[in-house]
Amino acid sequence: MKKKYMTLLAVFWILCLGAGLGWKYYRDRGDQACFLVPRAENPPGDVAVYLQKDEAWADDRLGDSAYTMGGSGCLTSCIASALSTQARSSGIGQEIDPGELNRLFGEKDVYNDSGDIVWDNIREALPKAQVMVAPKVDGDEVDNLLAEGKYPVVKVKIGGSGAGHWVLIVGTWDMEYLCMDPLNESGSLISLDKHENVAYRMRCVYWSDAGERTLPR
């Protein structure tokens, strides 16, 4: 009886280990590191700089989650900046600040219970916008988007090795990518070099008057 119990226990732990490794693979498979170096100069336009800790919205919650804009609103802040910068620079669409966008996302169930963005739901919240969820980070696509007046959001690690964080690439200068970083309290643009020029995921939300654009797979 004891031998049978020990065998079942061993099988149980093997299954748990396999499930854990499988989840880690599933969770991390989209986080493949890509070293980014611009291949073309795309000077930034009139960038809308938004800080996630701005007191106007820092305490606002992300949907029904326990998370706030100040603590976890970097991605929402970047999307608001991308849309507002496009509106300023090209006249397409309209400006929207992170507080307004966060409220809209909350009303349209764009956030899940953990405060993460459900990308397919953005189209309902912003019918005049398009959403690009890249299967991987691609330097050529970053340059192509910038040349079209669209601004990619990329996931980095703070300082190159810290916590995961989202920044908005808004252009290039002296062959370096310039970013709107919602944690940069000075409000100035920074070089992606501050995060070691490495990105792990890429998204792009933009106003569109010419239909949806898709990435090659």
Side-chain angles (χ1 to χ4, degrees):
M1 185 70 179
K2 183 177 180 181
K3 183 177 180 181
K4 182 178 180 181
Y5 172 78
M6 294 301 294
T7 300
L8 289 173
L9 185 62
V11 170
F12 172 77
W13 283 112
I14 290 172
L15 289 173
C16 288
L17 179 62
L21 291 174
W23 166 246
K24 185 179 188 303
Y25 169 76
Y26 177 80
R27 182 194 66 189
D28 294 343
R29 65 180 180 175
D31 285 346
Q32 298 177 0
C34 178
F35 186 80
L36 290 175
V37 177
R39 295 168 175 78
E41 287 285 6
N42 288 291
D46 185 4
V47 179
V49 176
Y50 295 133
L51 303 181
Q52 65 191 76
K53 295 183 183 293
D54 189 309
E55 62 181 12
W57 49 73
D59 294 332
D60 295 350
R61 292 190 180 278
L62 305 180
D64 294 327
S65 77
Y67 300 94
T68 65
M69 283 291 295
S72 304
C74 54
L75 184 49
T76 300
S77 299
C78 285
I79 295 172
S81 177
L83 294 171
S84 295
T85 300
Q86 182 186 11
R88 290 182 182 183
S89 301
S90 68
I92 297 173
Q94 63 189 57
E95 294 188 41
I96 184 168
D97 68 43
E100 294 172 309
L101 187 62
N102 180 52
R103 286 191 292 274
L104 182 60
F105 279 1
E107 292 169 0
K108 297 297 184 179
D109 296 323
V110 174
Y111 298 116
N112 63 18
D113 291 340
S114 299
D116 298 321
I117 285 178
V118 181
W119 293 95
D120 286 342
N121 291 359
I122 292 180
R123 293 181 176 91
E124 181 178 347
L126 298 169
K128 295 183 179 180
Q130 297 291 345
V131 180
M132 177 188 294
V133 178
K136 63 180 180 178
V137 182
D138 185 317
D140 288 335
E141 281 300 323
V142 171
D143 290 338
N144 291 340
L145 288 166
L146 292 175
E148 294 172 2
K150 301 164 186 172
Y151 303 96
V153 187
V154 295
K155 183 180 180 182
V156 299
K157 292 184 179 179
I158 295 176
S161 59
H165 178 54
W166 293 88
V167 298
L168 181 72
I169 298 179
V170 295
T172 60
W173 182 260
D174 197 21
M175 293 309 291
E176 290 188 356
Y177 284 117
L178 294 179
C179 300
M180 194 292 299
D181 187 334
L183 282 178
N184 184 29
E185 295 182 358
S186 73
S188 59
L189 302 182
I190 67 167
S191 170
L192 188 60
D193 181 59
K194 296 292 184 181
H195 302 300
E196 302 296 334
N197 292 311
V198 176
Y200 298 85
R201 293 188 183 186
M202 183 170 75
R203 307 286 187 262
C204 190
V205 181
Y206 56 92
W207 301 118
S208 176
D209 60 353
E212 184 175 1
R213 184 177 185 279
T214 58
L215 277 169
R217 291 184 178 273

